[in-house]
């Protein structure tokens, strides 16, 4: 069992940097969305950065990741190309999916990010299949699947987990439980007393849960899960409680439309994952204000550069819509 | 060297050749290694290639399609099998939203080289949930290739092409063809996807057919020829993409078209063929083209209800007569029938 107090200061800085970078990207998208240049739905993960950062800090570059409609954080933390992601959201030819996918369909195979898709639960079996391919190929990679609480209501979730257990697949299932599926709260979708991680453990999968706003807790729990998987003991599911600050889809805050309360939002905002980690670093005396400032300005210029790149890149020609139906 | 082989055995041979050639090919599906071996089509595979590559699966059609997709993204080539097409409907999400879109929606960065064998059929009381011919559903989705062999030769050659194709291919095999014998070369050969086959040449009428209906068409053509009517028979082989060039060329010659289908009539592949030919070749047509398909009803179970429901060679002859303004005789077909209408032949004793 890895203890959070054993985490190297370098890792803490890495986690902080990663979360700040994701935050800056998401908030810049929110800030500029109304310019009408990003003409596709975007699902921002502001507030949920700790899961992306904590999970991907443990994964190797050659491990696989698949994700959902809310994938920006996962993509960036896994090492996906920021410029190509923003260009994709702008619908440009230089986008990671050549302008055919948009915010919900990100890919960067060079870092093992194998794709994100927009149907709830849709990548759960795909990530499981990647795990199966690892088994067949005899390599020691891991396949990691990110999904939300809503996806655990889909049949394909149970079908996939059943197969993963049956074949002892090297799959890490990460459930980001942010309490909402669009505007439907968990209480209208699942019984109040349920714990997703406990429920699935009765299927036979090793599982655990934790505070998804606490990056070091995420990190330590993923270290343990990944060790379990790499030892050939089969799949592992981790459920992390977290919260999205902004609306389901789009750049705004939506606490006023009646499906959740301002109080609830403020309560979660007090658990800002970036602030929590900074406090922890201060407690451990590894917080260096000068260093953090330096990182902040690096991030600012990197994000600025990515948006400039996206804005100045050309659109694909209209004929591009009519190619790539099949691989030739 | 060419020799005669049954359609089902040709499928089995294709699987052996493919799996021997490429160790990344796996075969799975409910019953793939059970005692019946998918009507014998997967016989011997597990013994030869082991249970890592040939295996039975959980009753989880949707997930297993997604798993095939995921595995294919990392170099595996899965061949998945369902004993009835109808069960595969549980997997439309993974098929339509993922398999069909993956290559396009990621700008060509990945592709999904999976093959899905679906068995369809008719007769013997298969009823509403065991006999559906939903090829137009699949063919309607951009990004899916859909093939429907009618001969043993094509069964093998098209399956090999499907397995080695870098895209998702739906391989629809008709149960009534499994025991049909035909010339099948040994070794690896490929029937190109997207190319129709002109099985008969003639100047009076073009029949465009697919899958089992091609066999009914061959019976009809034999009788028509004796009465001086010479049909051109185009076996489509692939319903997505359709080989329009071959169809247009034939209709340009004959000016008449009957399109056959194993599916219900409305919005069928046959309907698409009639539509496209009408649009593109209106000036060359000597009369209205037509289609022969099933009524727009679920398939009933009782043999007394399927008697008129399924279409056969005599329906083709009648329709040809109507188009040509001649009364044609079907008695010879009726007299030649040795088995009831709801079985493919004397050999068939049920149950499925």
């Amino acid at each position: 069992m890895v203890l959070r107090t054993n985490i190297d200061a370098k890792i803490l800085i890495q986690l902080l940097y990663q979360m700040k970078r994701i935050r800056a990207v998401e908030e810049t998208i929110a800030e500029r969305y109304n310019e009408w240049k990003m003409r596709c739905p975007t699902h921002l993960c502001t507030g949920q950065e700790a899961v992306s950062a904590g999970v991907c800090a443990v994964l190797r570059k050659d491990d696989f990741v698949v994700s959902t409609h809310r994938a920006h954080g996962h993509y960036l933390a896994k090492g996906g190309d920021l410029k190509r992601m923003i260009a994709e959201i702008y619908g440009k030819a230089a986008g990671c999916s050549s302008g055919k996918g948009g915010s919900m369909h990100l890919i960067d195979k060079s870092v093992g990010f194998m794709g994100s898709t927009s149907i709830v639960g849709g990548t759960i079996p795909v990530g499981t299949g990647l795990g199966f391919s690892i088994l067949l190929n005899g390599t020691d990679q891991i396949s990691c699947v990110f999904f939300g609480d809503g996806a655990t209501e889909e049949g394909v979730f149970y079908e996939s987990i059943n197969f993963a257990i049956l074949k002892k697949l090297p799959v890490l299932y990460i459930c980001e439980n942010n309490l909402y599926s669009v505007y439907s709260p968990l209480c209208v979708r699942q019984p109040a007393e349920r714990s997703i991680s406990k429920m699935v453990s009765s299927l036979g999968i090793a599982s655990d849960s934790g505070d998804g706003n606490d990056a070091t807790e995420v990190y330590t729990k993923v270290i343990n899960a990944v060790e379990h998987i790499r030892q050939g003991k089969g799949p592992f599911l981790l459920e992390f409680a977290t919260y999205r600050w902004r609306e389901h889809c789009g750049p705004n805050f939506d606490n006023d439309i009646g499906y959740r309360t301002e109080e609830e939002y403020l309560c979660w905002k007090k658990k800002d994952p970036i602030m929590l980690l900074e406090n922890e670093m201060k407690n451990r005396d590894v917080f260096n204000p000068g260093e953090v400032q330096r990182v902040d300005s690096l991030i600012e210029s990197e994000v600025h550069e990515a948006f400039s790149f996206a804005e100045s890149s050309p659109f694909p020609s209209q004929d591009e819509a009519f190619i790539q139906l099949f691989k030739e | 060297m060419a020799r005669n082989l049954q359609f089902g055995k040709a499928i089995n041979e294709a699987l052996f050749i493919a799996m021997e050639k490429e160790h990344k090919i796996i075969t799975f599906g409910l019953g793939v290694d059970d005692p019946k071996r998918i009507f014998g089509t997967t016989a011997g595979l597990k013994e030869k290639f082991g249970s890592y590559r040939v295996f039975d699966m959980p009753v989880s059609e949707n997930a297993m399609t997604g798993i095939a997709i995921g595995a294919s993204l990392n170099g595996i080539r899965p061949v998945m099998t369902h004993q009835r097409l109808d069960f595969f409907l549980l997997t439309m999400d993974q098929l339509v939203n993922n398999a069909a879109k993956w290559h396009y929606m990621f700008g060509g960065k990945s592709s999904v080289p999976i093959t899905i064998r679906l068995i369809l059929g008719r007769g013997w009381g298969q009823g509403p949930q065991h006999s559906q011919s939903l090829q137009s559903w699949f063919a309607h989705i951009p990004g899916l290739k859909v093939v429907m062999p009618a001969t043993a030769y094509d069964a093998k050659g098209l399956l090999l092409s499907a397995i080695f194709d870098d895209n998702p291919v739906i391989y629809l095999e008709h149960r009534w063809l499994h025991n049909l014998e035909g010339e099948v070369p040994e070794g690896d050969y490929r029937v190109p996807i997207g190319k129709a086959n002109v099985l008969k040449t003639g100047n009076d009428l073009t029949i465009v057919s697919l899958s089992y209906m091609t066999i009914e068409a061959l019976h009809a053509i034999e009788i028509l020829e004796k009465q001086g009517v010479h049909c051109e028979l185009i076996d489509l082989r692939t319903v997505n993409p359709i080989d329009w060039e071959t169809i247009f060329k034939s209709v340009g010659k004959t000016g008449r078209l009957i399109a056959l289908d194993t599916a219900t009539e409305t919005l069928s592949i046959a309907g698409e063929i009639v539509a496209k030919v009408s649009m593109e070749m209106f000036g060359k047509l000597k009369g209205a083209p037509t289609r022969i398909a099933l009524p727009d009803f679920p398939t009933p179970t009782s043999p007394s209800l399927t008697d008129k429901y399924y279409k056969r060679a005599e329906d083709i002859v009648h329709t040809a007569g109507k188009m040509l303004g001649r009364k044609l005789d079907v008695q010879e077909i009726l007299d030649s029938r040795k088995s009831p209408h709801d079985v493919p032949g004397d050999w068939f004793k049920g149950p499925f």
Side-chain angles (χ1 to χ4, degrees), chain B residues 35-352:
Chain B
K36 299 282 178 84
R37 305 285 171 117
I38 318 286
F39 309 108
T41 59
T42 56
L45 290 178
K46 187 185 176 181
E47 289 73 8
K48 169 96 180 173
F49 302 106
S51 55
Y52 263 86
R53 293 180 62 195
V54 183
F55 55 93
D56 213 329
M57 69 174 204
V59 193
S60 306
E61 290 82 359
N62 197 29
M64 294 311 295
T65 301
I67 284 162
I69 293 167
S72 79
L73 297 178
N74 190 29
I76 305 296
R77 283 186 184 269
V79 182
M80 196 180 177
T81 297
H82 297 272
Q83 314 231 22
R84 284 288 183 272
L85 177 150
D86 316 66
F87 294 108
F88 186 67
L89 301 189
L90 284 159
T91 186
M92 288 305 270
D93 167 46
Q94 285 299 323
L95 180 79
V96 176
N97 284 317
N98 280 347
K101 307 290 191 298
W102 209 273
H103 184 65
Y104 187 86
M105 77 182 169
F106 291 114
K109 303 287 189 301
S110 288
S111 70
V112 172
I114 60 174
T115 301
I116 293 163
R117 288 177 54 204
L118 303 177
I119 295 169
L120 49 97
R122 73 188 215 167
W124 203 261
Q126 298 296 329
Q129 296 183 341
H130 262 50
S131 61
Q132 296 171 83
S133 281
L134 298 174
Q135 53 268 23
S136 65
W137 283 31
F138 305 124
H140 185 67
I141 310 301
L144 296 176
K145 295 187 179 180
V146 185
V147 301
M148 296 187 87
T151 66
Y153 180 94
D154 290 347
K156 181 177 169 184
L158 270 175
L159 185 54
L160 280 161
S161 290
I163 292 171
F164 288 102
D165 196 287
D166 282 336
N167 301 284
V169 183
I170 309 285
Y171 180 95
L172 295 168
E173 58 191 74
H174 201 291
R175 176 75 182 103
W176 276 32
L177 296 171
H178 270 178
N179 287 54
L180 186 90
E181 260 190 28
E183 205 175 281
V184 176
E186 288 183 39
D188 184 359
Y189 67 92
R190 313 283 168 90
V191 170
I193 293 173
K195 200 86 198 86
N197 191 16
V198 182
L199 280 180
K200 292 268 177 195
T201 52
N203 292 315
D204 296 329
L205 181 70
T206 298
I207 298 176
V208 177
S209 178
L210 49 79
S211 189
Y212 173 73
M213 284 310 288
T214 298
I215 307 307
E216 293 289 347
L218 285 168
H219 290 311
I221 285 168
E222 204 184 318
I223 300 303
L224 285 165
E225 271 175 1
K226 285 184 187 164
Q227 298 176 66
V229 177
H230 300 281
C231 295
E232 190 132 306
L233 175 60
I234 298 173
D235 178 31
L236 266 186
R237 299 199 287 202
T238 301
V239 297
N240 191 25
I242 289 174
D243 180 1
W244 293 111
E245 202 187 320
T246 300
I247 296 171
F248 291 161
K249 198 174 149 201
S250 177
V251 177
K253 186 168 73 173
T254 64
R256 293 188 180 90
L257 167 71
I258 302 175
L260 309 181
D261 208 317
T262 57
T264 50
E265 188 175 276
T266 303
L267 302 168
S268 59
I269 300 290
E272 177 62 28
I273 287 162
V274 168
K276 191 101 157 182
V277 165
S278 305
M279 288 166 71
E280 304 280 329
M281 316 202 61
F282 194 70
K284 296 243 166 99
L285 290 171
K286 295 173 186 159
T290 193
R291 61 193 171 180
I292 298 176
L294 302 185
D296 293 324
F297 278 89
T299 306
T301 299
S302 163
S304 78
L305 297 176
T306 51
D307 196 18
K308 287 210 167 112
Y309 176 85
Y310 287 123
K311 296 297 196 276
R312 311 197 70 182
E314 55 268 36
D315 298 301
I316 301 168
V317 175
H318 280 313
T319 303
K322 234 160 105 183
M323 287 178 95
L324 295 163
R326 288 179 52 182
K327 187 147 177 53
L328 297 167
D329 186 18
V330 296
Q331 199 52 47
E332 198 183 330
I333 298 177
L334 303 180
D335 291 345
S336 71
R337 292 263 156 78
K338 294 186 197 83
S339 48
H341 81 277
D342 63 341
V343 293
D346 290 343
W347 55 270
F348 191 90
K349 304 285 181 230
F352 80 120

Side-chain angles (χ1 to χ4, degrees), chain A residues 143-214:
Chain A
S143 173
C144 171
V145 188
F146 286 101
F147 53 93
D149 45 293
T152 69
E153 289 145 31
E154 297 285 356
V156 79
F157 170 68
Y158 301 89
E159 294 183 9
S160 301
I161 289 211
N162 178 57
F163 187 74
I165 300 163
L166 181 75
K167 300 279 179 183
K168 282 197 167 193
L169 301 184
V171 184
L172 175 63
Y173 295 96
I174 301 289
C175 175
E176 284 177 298
N177 186 342
N178 70 4
L179 306 175
Y180 293 93
S181 176
V182 189
Y183 305 122
S184 304
L186 202 52
C187 67
V188 303
R189 296 182 288 115
Q190 298 188 28
E193 61 276 12
R194 173 176 296 165
S195 144
I196 290 167
S197 65
K198 282 186 187 148
M199 170 185 69
V200 296
S201 74
S202 66
L203 295 172
I205 187 168
S207 69
D208 195 2
S209 61
D211 181 350
N213 279 23
D214 181 341

